[in-house]
Each structure stands twice: as structure tokens, then as C-alpha cells.
Amino acid sequence: MKPEDFMTPKTKKGPISGPRVLILGSVHGNEPCGANVLPDIFALPLLRGTLTCVLGNPAAFRANKRFLDTDLNRMFDERNCPTSQEQNSREYQRAQELKNYIDHTDIVLDLHASTSKTSEPFLICESNGYALATKMGIAKIVSGFDVIQPGGTDWYANKTGKVGLCLESGFLGDPFSTVRAFEGARALLSLLGMIEYEPIAIPDPMIYSLVWQYTSQRSFIPQNPFADFAFVEDKDVIGRDGDVTITAPADGFLLFTRPCEAPNQEAFVFARSLANIASLRESPQG
Ligand SMILES: [Zn+2]
């Protein structure tokens, strides 16, 4: 099988009932690891449950572009696509198809990669995903995207009562991102008792919380090519937007920092370290 075979979803069932898992690859077309591992994931022998694999944005994947008309991973929230121009986009149309698949599943794993050359793998989920995410062998977990940057596959899954997980598998040009994407999928399926495998546990993953997304006002130029999780201190310069200097609002960490040539583009998100999972377990609010 090849990635293009998953333009329409492929589903297989184990011999007994169990969780329904949907794995998406290359919702962003220039992040090839997700699509490239779908054949290997789909080939895993299932012990139970239902596994569906689908190539997120086939046309953008073929073109090796993040998207063709607009960012597919924002189109799941109608608030992000109020105009007829957005609703006529190929990505909006694709989101409606993918919503239908998410509606018929329990857990969504969306496989992504970062444009940052030094990016290390991390998981995006909200608190309903911590029980799984903290055992998937990934050292960093980021929550808060559902509020700060709504409209992704995981946002839609969470909003409709499922569990949405998004794995950032490292730099999109790193061939090892494919291995990490496969390992992430394999860890999830084994935690759910769907395949025979023992994931390598990381004892105490760190949990970060997004608190701010900066959107360009004119054109944004980062001060440095910040790696994901680059630490900045309160009032450190992050970049310049036109003639305005953008500084850190507190001590924290930068993710997805990128230059923006026009207004209204996502320039970076800013996270605080929340806790590690052990301290969350100890806290009465945890
Ligand atoms: Zn992506």
C-alpha cells in the first residue's frame, strides 16, 4: 500500500469489539511523515477495536504544500470560516468530509511535523487526553490549543465528546519524523489494547499550557530562528512586527515561531510550563 491509497479512509476491525481509533496523516500537506506511515500503521494486526486511517489533505500532500486555499487544520471550527470564499475553499470542503469520519470514532490521532529544524516531538491534547498522552513515550505535552487556536481535528474531536490527540513528530524534513509518527501511533494502539506492543514509557512528561497566540499586524520577523520550546524571559524581544517590537509577556516558551509576510498570520504561540503529570495527580484540582 502507498499513502495515496488512504485518500478515502481505510477501516479494519479486530476479532472482538473495542475502541474506534481514527489516525490522520498529512492534514498539512508539507508534513509527509503522517501520510507516509499510514500503510505501516494500517498493516498492524489488530487484537480488538476498529482502526481507520486517512490521508488528511491529499491534494496539498501531492503538491507538498501546507495547504492549497486555506489551513485545513483551522476549518473544523465554523467561526474560523465565516465567508463564502472560505467555505468554497478545498480545505473547508475536505474538513466536512473528515468531520464525518471523526463523528464515527472514539479517539483521534492526527500526525503532524514542525517547520522548526530543531523541533523535538510533542503531543497536543487537552486534559481529557492526559491519561493516554502521558503514556505514549513523548516527553512534552502541550494543552490549551482548543482555546487559543481552535478549529483543528483534535479541537473538533474534543468538542464532540471524543479524545483528540495531535502528535508533532519533529522537523518535517527529518526522515526520522516518520519513525516517531509510527512509534506514536503504535504506542496509542497498544495502550488501548488494540495491538501487541509494549511502548517505551517516559516516567514524567512535562505539561505546558498555551496562554497566547500572536497574529501579525503588518509583517512579523522573529528576532531569532526560535526552536520549539525556546525559553524566553519576561520582556525578551521575540521579533518585530512592522515598527513594533514584540516582547514576551512573562517567562515562558515559544512554539511554531515563523516569519509572516502579511497581516493576520500566525506568528508564534506562547506557553507556560504547567506542571508535570506527577504534580497534577497530587493536586486536589488535578
Ligand atoms: Zn501540521
Side-chain angles (χ1 to χ4, degrees):
M1 277 192 174
K2 53 190 192 303
E4 289 80 3
D5 294 335
F6 294 87
M7 284 170 57
T8 52
K10 291 207 175 302
T11 296
K12 67 193 256 185
K13 286 180 189 292
I16 55 172
S17 66
R20 299 171 299 172
V21 174
L22 174 68
I23 298 184
L24 298 122
S26 301
V27 162
H28 290 137
N30 62 336
E31 300 167 12
C33 63
N36 287 339
V37 293
L38 292 180
D40 289 341
I41 295 168
F42 196 71
L44 292 167
L46 275 196
L47 300 174
R48 67 173 193 139
T50 305
L51 172 65
T52 301
C53 294
V54 65
L55 207 174
N57 193 338
F61 174 70
R62 270 195 303 272
N64 192 29
K65 288 183 165 171
R66 183 172 170 86
F67 53 79
L68 297 180
D69 300 326
T70 187
D71 190 337
L72 171 58
N73 215 27
R74 306 291 178 270
M75 290 293 106
F76 292 84
D77 185 348
E78 296 291 324
R79 292 173 297 178
N80 291 340
C81 27
T83 68
S84 58
Q85 187 190 358
E86 282 149 346
Q87 296 193 3
N88 288 327
S89 70
R90 284 166 280 189
E91 275 79 11
Y92 180 86
Q93 303 296 330
R94 182 61 171 163
Q96 307 320 304
E97 295 169 6
L98 296 178
K99 276 182 179 178
N100 185 39
Y101 311 143
I102 296 172
D103 288 341
H104 294 91
T105 196
D106 301 310
I107 295 149
V108 172
L109 176 63
D110 190 2
L111 301 170
H112 285 253
S114 175
T115 52
S116 166
K117 287 197 168 136
T118 51
S119 186
E120 51 190 304
F122 61 98
L123 269 163
I124 292 170
C125 71
E126 302 303 328
S127 56
N128 63 337
Y130 287 170
L132 288 168
T134 52
K135 298 194 194 86
M136 284 174 62
I138 310 286
K140 291 185 161 94
I141 294 167
V142 186
S143 65
F145 275 89
D146 277 10
V147 171
I148 301 285
Q149 196 183 81
T153 58
D154 43 340
W155 174 87
Y156 181 76
N158 292 330
K159 187 177 101 49
T160 52
K162 337 272 183 200
V163 175
L165 303 163
C166 171
L167 174 59
E168 292 286 344
S169 313
F171 175 52
L172 55 83
D174 177 1
F176 198 64
S177 62
T178 303
V179 178
R180 293 198 195 98
F182 180 68
E183 281 299 314
R186 197 155 65 151
L188 175 67
L189 295 173
S190 70
L191 288 168
L192 295 167
M194 293 172 66
I195 61 165
E196 193 87 63
Y197 180 66
E198 196 67 48
I200 300 157
I202 288 184
D204 212 2
M206 200 69 192
I207 297 184
Y208 298 79
S209 179
L210 279 200
V211 291
W212 184 41
Q213 172 170 267
Y214 184 74
T215 306
S216 60
Q217 303 299 304
R218 293 174 66 185
S219 62
F220 176 78
I221 302 163
Q223 179 82 355
N224 296 303
F226 290 107
D228 287 339
F229 297 98
F231 177 72
V232 284
E233 288 185 15
D234 186 20
K235 299 191 175 59
D236 274 358
V237 175
I238 300 174
R240 292 187 65 78
D241 190 349
D243 49 12
V244 179
T245 301
I246 309 303
T247 58
D251 292 358
F253 302 85
L254 297 175
L255 283 168
F256 302 135
T257 309
R258 53 193 158 218
C260 305
E261 289 167 3
N264 296 318
Q265 294 182 351
E266 294 165 4
F268 60 85
V269 293
F270 179 84
R272 310 291 306 271
S273 70
L274 192 65
N276 54 30
I277 194 67
S279 63
L280 276 185
R281 267 191 223 107
E282 283 154 17
S283 94
Q285 294 84 25

